[in-house]
Amino acid sequence: MAKSYDAIIVGGGHNGLVCAAYLAKAGRSVLVLERRHVLGGAAVTEEIYPGFKYSVCSYVVSLLRPEIIRDLQLPRFGLEIIPLKCSFSPLPDGDALCRWDDPELTRREVARFSPRDAERLPEFSKSLLKMSQFVKPLLSLTPPDPCSKNPNDLLELLKVGRRARDLGPEALTRLVKLMTMSSADFLDEWFESDVLKAPMSVSGIIGTFLGVRSPGTAYVMLHHYMGEIDGAFRSWGFARGGTGQISNAIADSARHFGAEIRLEAPVSEVKVHRGKSTGVVLEGGEEIDAKVVISALDPHRTFFKLVGPQHLDPDFTAKMKRYRMRGSSGKVNLALDGVPEFVSRPGVGPHLEGDIAIAPSVNYLERAYDEAKYGNFSSKPYMNIVIPSLVDPSVAPPGKHVMSIFVQYAPYHLKEGASAWPEKREAFGNAVIDTLAEYVPKIRDQILHQQVLSPWDIEQEMGLTEGNIFHGELGLEQLFFLRPVPDWAKYRTPIRNFWMCASGTHPGGGIMGAPGANAAGELLKTGAI
Amino acid sequence: MPEPTPFHPRTSALCRSLFWKEWAGYHAVRSFDTVIDPEYFAFRHAAGLIDVSPLFKYDVSGKDAADFLSYVMVRDIRKLQVGRVAYSCWCDDDGKAIDDGTITRLGDDLYRVTSAEPSFRWFDQQAEGFDVVISDRSRDIAALSLQGPRSREILKGAVGSGVEGLRFFRVMEGKIGKTPVHITRTGYTGDLGYEIWVEPKGALAVWDAIMEAGKIHGIRAAGLDAMDITRIEAGFILLGVDYKSSPHCDIEEQKSSAYEIGLGRLVNLDRPSFIGQRALREEKERGSEWAMVGLDISWEELEALYDAYGLPPHLPAQAWRENIPLYKEGRQIGRATSGTWSPTLKQNLALATVEAEFGALGTHLEIEVTVEWERRVVPATVVQTPFFNPQRKRS
């Protein structure tokens, strides 16, 4: 008889692996099944071009919970994170703004554009820090159900309420504004300089199909602001060896605790018998049984591909269909012959050791969104660029570099339909390089290889529905006890013994690991295995 | 007034922060930038180059050199082969530690000893009856430490052949450009790394050649503050910080034996007489009074403590070295002597001296924390050192 497991995790993305590691650490027998030949899902490093290691999709890390790093002993298994030095925003007129890790340097830079903003910046940081302090404990909490009369839910809600009260009226007002305003409007309340506001506002739109002037984006800005490294808020970093190294470290930790991981083992369906899951069937026909099956795929793929509506209540299916997964971004990865030279700040320097934002003005960003609204990719997109090889030489041959370009907007649903992406891919790549060439005129001569990923490609390759990087947008209407859908925000599903553990559950996307850890915690608490 | 090291023209040109300190009579860079992260991460991810010229260096030569060194060191140096390096400490007659450092066997009868504080008088005083010559080479030899995962590639570029085969705790001779150097596979970061020993007249050429070779590998000049974090992660003790040299102690209680500074593994008791042997043997039988341990200070509890004040947790940006009281059930049972937040491990770490009975791995203690001028405690657990021990260190 084939071996049976306590838990099978479908999908070897970082959350699936975190969940596996916690369950294995608690002594449960765990099997992770990954469709691809590499682990990591969207947190993956691949040597697409010899000698150059691309962080193919996800490229920076900040939200990975430090307690997960400690609990799973990830540094011992090769996890090392290098913080970004700065945020560099070159401008079309040849000037540039750089926000540094050194507050005094940043003050002087910002003061060139607005002395008022320069003084305001520390106050703003303090205010957002306070918000982050409020939100942060919610990250590792299983969302309480506000409609429930269960004493545990009520107690948790009370705790959240108390924390909100403790913020005081001023901060609470600000929090409500943050929850409802657009990032551009929210920043307008603080700052006057467009040059400063534009790159700050973009963190409100990443991974959503919204513009910087769309209501609700201010909260997403906070979600990104919350990133922490070393207990310090708002530090982003590179994983040494690329983001895939994070997944590999988690996988090695999981194996160390006894989990089994199988690659190239695509699951075709979850076996459901009388409303209860009993195991999985692989594409080759192999059946494996387990007490619980946990999906680390996005909610749409989970319920419409793994399970199928025939096993679900139509009401639930309807809600799940409405869960928004609109992909809005693409990715271009470049292998470069040398360090790219920016007109606004020529030469190699520390300004290139952080992220580089092509976000010269709020209007520029809104125009980029305008095109996307009507089914086109932005001809002048917002781009977030990093060159990790400058601080982590292990990802490129000596003297050569990798450049990762996150591009927004690239709507999954083109006006010609998503299936038009293979024909549009080249034009999309050209738009990105053309835009970049305005700031780095010689970039074309330095490109040794380029990889262009549209949201359609991300869906095909990584299995993210519509190429949405967060397994569903981080809008307020689908966060906390509403993620992915109301009544099912506690990692459980309407099918007994079938669970969810990835970014489509609370607290959402980014290389955070919290959904995986929370799901494992909840599963162990129930005594299901 | 400290004096410049032979590398000063290069380090001073790069030190934009003007953060300097005095180290053994020399000007030494604390950090080149106002933010030390890039220098720390250079050590852990690429390579950092740090001027360690202020170390004291002594050459011991003569036909009795091995016997003499075995007599002053707690470790039997007669076993050390040519081309190898050993780490040891040396003690007074009572087995109390004076200093610790490396001993490199450069030739049949030639050894080089490094130390943190001047030890010439002590060695010279013990040399009577041995056919040895001890010479203080501290000013004749400048030194650089090149540490980090890319250090091997960089040195291969600067030196050429031979570096690749240089194993952990070995020494080789080579040339960087036209300058003869000694290279040891040693360091104070617990990472893959090398130390390069050169006469002062060739110092700048060596610096330039290493920096040039390192350009494509992300090399960075690094200062003492960054190295201090790495040495705590590596669990390395520092004289004058984690213990006090016995001749400098004002009272007996300030002294620590070789066992009490965590170097018991180096002590070879069963051999001909050496300084401190009797006392150390007795201590081994009787048991030590103190133990040097690694501590993992609970981050969750620290965060909760700060949260109770409505504050985010606060940590100093660099390693600290104040003595901080440790408690067990309300009674003070020791002190933490240095510590740091580990950016790699995401742990709040410390090295500490505790009453020996509380030195076992897994022992739960409490460490004092001051929040808003109020003294509180958070839990700390005795854990294994090195805290961070990457495979590449020995690879």
Side-chain angles (χ1 to χ4, degrees):
Chain A
M1 207 185 121
K3 191 177 170 189
S4 166
Y5 294 85
D6 288 331
I8 286 176
I9 291 166
V10 184
H14 84 280
N15 273 310
L17 294 167
V18 165
C19 187
Y22 272 100
L23 293 178
K25 195 178 174 204
R28 305 304 188 272
S29 64
V30 183
L31 173 66
V32 180
L33 297 168
E34 168 56 40
R35 176 179 56 92
R36 298 190 71 212
H37 62 286
V38 279
L39 287 170
V44 66
T45 304
E46 290 185 72
E47 198 171 319
I48 307 280
Y49 183 65
F52 294 82
K53 292 178 186 144
Y54 292 161
S55 290
V56 178
C57 291
S58 187
Y59 55 100
V60 282
V61 57
S62 96
L63 299 161
L64 185 61
R65 310 293 309 135
E67 62 267 22
I68 296 177
I69 297 179
R70 287 188 291 266
D71 288 349
L72 303 181
Q73 305 168 26
L74 300 183
R76 192 180 142 197
F77 299 103
L79 177 75
E80 296 177 47
I81 296 170
I82 321 167
L84 303 190
K85 175 123 187 95
C86 55
S87 251
F88 175 57
S89 316
L91 300 169
D93 65 3
D95 203 342
L97 168 71
C98 198
R99 288 174 292 148
W100 297 95
D101 49 5
D102 176 322
E104 182 53 28
L105 271 180
T106 305
R107 192 192 62 75
R108 291 206 297 266
E109 283 261 355
V110 174
R112 291 196 296 119
F113 299 94
S114 160
R116 288 180 201 86
D117 287 359
E119 285 183 26
R120 198 86 160 111
L121 200 54
E123 289 170 48
F124 177 79
S125 300
K126 216 171 196 135
S127 170
L128 249 63
L129 178 68
K130 206 162 169 93
M131 306 293 135
S132 303
Q133 255 180 280
F134 168 74
V135 180
K136 217 194 92 186
L138 306 183
L139 295 180
S140 44
L141 192 72
T142 297
D145 182 349
C147 304
S148 157
K149 292 201 176 74
N150 179 314
N152 288 331
D153 281 311
L154 292 173
L155 190 69
E156 288 297 336
L157 277 172
L158 193 68
K159 277 192 209 155
V160 174
R162 266 209 198 118
R163 284 193 75 87
R165 190 198 59 195
D166 291 347
L167 276 174
E170 198 185 328
L172 199 57
T173 309
R174 208 163 274 154
L175 188 65
V176 172
K177 284 187 170 182
L178 201 61
M179 296 273 184
T180 51
M181 289 175 87
S182 76
S183 57
D185 285 343
F186 186 76
L187 289 167
D188 278 343
E189 294 200 344
W190 286 88
F191 303 111
E192 59 182 15
S193 164
D194 208 34
V195 171
L196 176 66
K197 282 185 286 187
M200 287 176 85
S201 67
V202 287
S203 44
I205 56 164
I206 292 191
T208 72
F209 197 71
L210 294 170
V212 289
R213 294 209 174 99
S214 311
T217 47
Y219 172 75
V220 187
M221 197 166 67
L222 180 68
H223 187 90
H224 283 87
Y225 210 91
M226 244 168 351
E228 61 178 317
I229 292 179
D230 307 357
F233 286 92
R234 211 191 164 273
S235 320
W236 288 77
F238 300 115
R240 179 169 137 81
T243 50
Q245 206 38 48
I246 303 171
S247 309
N248 292 337
I250 302 168
D252 283 346
S253 167
R255 287 191 192 99
H256 166 79
F257 291 117
E260 279 177 56
I261 300 173
R262 274 173 69 180
L263 293 171
E264 298 181 272
V267 173
S268 70
E269 63 172 301
V270 171
K271 292 197 286 181
V272 181
H273 184 65
R274 292 189 181 175
K276 202 170 137 181
S277 98
T278 57
V280 299
V281 185
L282 300 192
E283 268 176 22
E286 185 185 346
E287 296 190 19
I288 311 172
D289 289 342
K291 287 183 193 152
V292 299
V293 175
I294 306 161
S295 170
L297 312 183
D298 69 59
H300 276 201
R301 224 178 153 85
T302 299
F303 293 104
F304 301 133
K305 297 263 166 62
L306 277 186
V307 175
Q310 69 273 21
H311 297 297
L312 298 165
D313 182 47
D315 190 42
F316 176 83
T317 311
K319 268 193 225 163
M320 190 49 78
K321 273 189 184 146
R322 286 197 296 270
Y323 178 69
R324 287 185 299 123
M325 304 230 27
R326 302 171 298 181
S328 58
S329 56
K331 186 80 194 291
V332 175
N333 296 308
L334 302 178
L336 299 178
D337 202 19
V339 181
E341 185 127 339
F342 281 78
V343 178
S344 51
R345 220 161 276 194
V348 186
H351 60 291
L352 301 178
E353 289 171 10
D355 72 314
I356 303 161
I358 305 296
S361 70
V362 172
N363 278 344
Y364 175 100
L365 298 166
E366 195 62 15
R367 262 184 227 114
Y369 180 50
D370 286 343
E371 287 176 271
K373 275 191 287 195
Y374 304 111
N376 299 305
F377 58 78
S378 314
S379 52
K380 299 260 183 232
Y382 156 62
M383 306 201 288
N384 192 255
I385 304 170
V386 292
I387 313 168
S389 45
L390 281 171
V391 288
D392 172 15
S394 75
V395 293
K400 318 272 187 218
H401 292 280
V402 289
M403 182 187 258
S404 152
I405 311 173
F406 171 85
V407 190
Q408 194 155 331
Y409 298 79
Y412 176 82
H413 294 290
L414 289 171
K415 62 174 185 280
E416 300 87 348
S419 56
W421 263 115
E423 295 145 44
K424 291 270 182 174
R425 190 190 298 117
E426 197 183 335
F428 169 61
N430 287 339
V432 171
I433 304 298
D434 286 344
T435 307
L436 181 59
E438 290 176 26
Y439 303 87
V440 190
K442 290 189 195 132
I443 190 72
R444 286 184 196 281
D445 305 334
Q446 292 180 301
I447 299 175
L448 301 171
H449 173 263
Q450 81 183 52
Q451 178 192 34
V452 181
L453 292 166
S454 71
W456 184 84
D457 296 312
I458 294 171
E459 181 180 64
Q460 299 296 313
E461 281 276 317
M462 310 299 162
L464 297 177
T465 302
E466 297 195 17
N468 186 292
I469 60 171
F470 291 148
H471 286 202
E473 290 173 62
L474 297 179
L476 261 191
E477 74 286 5
Q478 38 190 50
L479 280 176
F480 205 43
F481 51 78
L482 303 174
R483 192 170 186 87
V485 293
D487 300 331
W488 299 104
K490 294 184 173 184
Y491 312 101
R492 294 162 180 82
T493 72
I495 294 164
R496 266 182 296 147
N497 298 340
F498 182 54
W499 291 62
M500 298 175 278
C501 74
S503 300
T505 57
H506 173 75
I511 307 178
M512 180 155 34
N518 291 2
E522 195 63 18
L523 196 51
L524 291 168
K525 211 165 72 186
T526 60
I529 50 170
Chain B
M1 171 73 82
E3 61 180 318
T5 78
F7 298 105
H8 194 82
R10 295 295 180 269
T11 50
S12 57
L14 290 170
C15 186
R16 291 198 308 152
S17 68
L18 305 186
F19 287 179
W20 294 79
K21 70 190 279 189
E22 185 266 351
W23 176 17
Y26 292 92
H27 287 295
V29 175
R30 281 185 50 202
S31 65
F32 287 87
D33 196 344
T34 49
V35 179
I36 65 172
D37 293 8
E39 292 165 43
Y40 165 83
F41 283 102
F43 281 139
R44 290 287 181 240
H45 296 278
L49 185 65
I50 180 168
D51 175 6
V52 292
S53 303
L55 282 172
F56 294 89
K57 304 128 211 148
Y58 305 101
D59 278 1
V60 178
S61 58
K63 78 173 173 50
D64 291 345
D67 287 336
F68 165 73
L69 284 168
S70 300
Y71 176 67
V72 290
M73 298 288 165
V74 299
R75 198 166 174 173
D76 192 349
I77 302 302
R78 278 170 289 236
K79 297 172 189 164
L80 189 71
Q81 294 170 18
V82 176
R84 300 204 180 199
V85 187
Y87 171 59
S88 182
C89 76
W90 47 102
C91 296
D92 63 17
D93 284 334
D94 299 325
K96 303 296 184 186
I98 295 173
D99 204 337
D100 61 290
T102 57
I103 302 113
T104 302
R105 188 163 181 191
L106 295 171
D108 281 339
D109 293 327
L110 177 61
Y111 295 80
R112 183 165 296 159
V113 180
T114 61
S115 70
E117 289 181 2
S119 269
F120 180 73
R121 178 203 62 87
W122 175 256
F123 290 149
D124 195 54
Q125 191 177 308
Q126 313 306 328
E128 206 179 309
F130 289 99
D131 184 359
V132 288
V133 177
I134 301 164
S135 51
D136 185 346
R137 304 292 309 278
S138 303
R139 302 181 70 87
D140 313 339
I141 301 163
L144 288 173
S145 187
L146 177 68
Q147 304 282 310
R150 299 299 272 203
S151 54
R152 182 184 289 140
E153 295 302 310
I154 294 170
L155 266 195
K156 262 162 66 184
V159 184
S161 62
V163 176
E164 187 119 63
L166 186 66
R167 286 158 60 192
F168 191 53
F169 267 71
R170 306 287 171 106
V171 62
M172 63 173 270
E173 284 177 57
K175 272 191 172 165
I176 293 182
K178 291 186 178 105
T179 315
V181 293
H182 277 110
I183 299 168
T184 52
R185 174 95 180 263
T186 49
Y188 203 44
T189 62
D191 216 301
L192 173 66
Y194 302 83
E195 287 169 310
I196 299 104
W197 313 86
V198 58
E199 286 183 25
K201 64 177 191 295
L204 294 180
V206 165
W207 173 283
D208 292 340
I210 293 174
M211 278 305 223
E212 184 57 32
K215 225 186 210 165
I216 56 169
H217 295 284
I219 196 172
R220 209 180 277 268
L224 291 172
D225 284 0
M227 190 163 72
D228 209 21
I229 299 177
T230 61
R231 71 101 189 163
I232 293 170
E233 288 178 331
F236 291 141
I237 53 171
L238 178 57
L239 178 65
V241 171
D242 299 300
Y243 73 104
K244 205 168 169 178
S245 180
S246 73
H248 298 172
C249 291
D250 300 313
I251 48 175
E252 279 304 305
E253 285 70 19
Q254 293 178 340
K255 299 179 179 178
S256 309
S257 75
Y259 290 110
E260 289 171 337
I261 58 172
L263 299 183
R265 67 181 190 281
L266 305 177
V267 180
N268 303 132
L269 279 179
D270 299 319
R271 59 186 174 96
S273 169
F274 66 93
I275 299 174
Q277 185 183 35
R278 179 190 42 77
L280 288 170
R281 180 172 280 142
E282 282 170 16
E283 183 178 330
K284 178 108 196 259
E285 281 162 17
R286 185 182 66 231
S288 304
E289 199 177 336
W290 298 95
M292 178 82 76
V293 297
L295 290 182
D296 177 7
I297 302 163
S298 167
W299 177 252
E300 281 74 13
E301 296 283 341
L302 187 74
E303 213 170 19
L305 180 59
Y306 273 91
D307 192 58
Y309 287 82
L311 289 171
H314 173 78
L315 287 173
Q318 65 253 350
W320 49 266
R321 43 176 73 174
E322 295 87 41
N323 280 282
I324 296 183
L326 295 169
Y327 301 92
K328 179 78 184 178
E329 285 151 14
R331 184 171 76 83
Q332 188 176 343
I333 49 85
R335 63 195 195 276
T337 49
S338 55
T340 186
W341 170 258
S342 164
T344 297
L345 299 171
K346 309 292 170 210
Q347 285 174 307
N348 195 11
L349 306 174
L351 295 172
T353 293
V354 298
E355 291 175 12
E357 62 174 303
F358 301 108
L361 293 182
T363 306
H364 295 289
L365 304 173
E366 289 180 317
I367 184 166
E368 188 177 286
V369 181
T370 306
V371 187
E372 292 295 284
W373 314 281
E374 290 183 8
R375 289 185 184 184
R376 308 290 294 268
V377 291
V378 292
T381 309
V382 176
V383 296
Q384 186 84 50
T385 58
F387 301 107
F388 181 64
N389 195 15
Q391 269 179 359
R392 58 182 181 250
K393 179 175 88 176
R394 288 166 170 276
S395 71

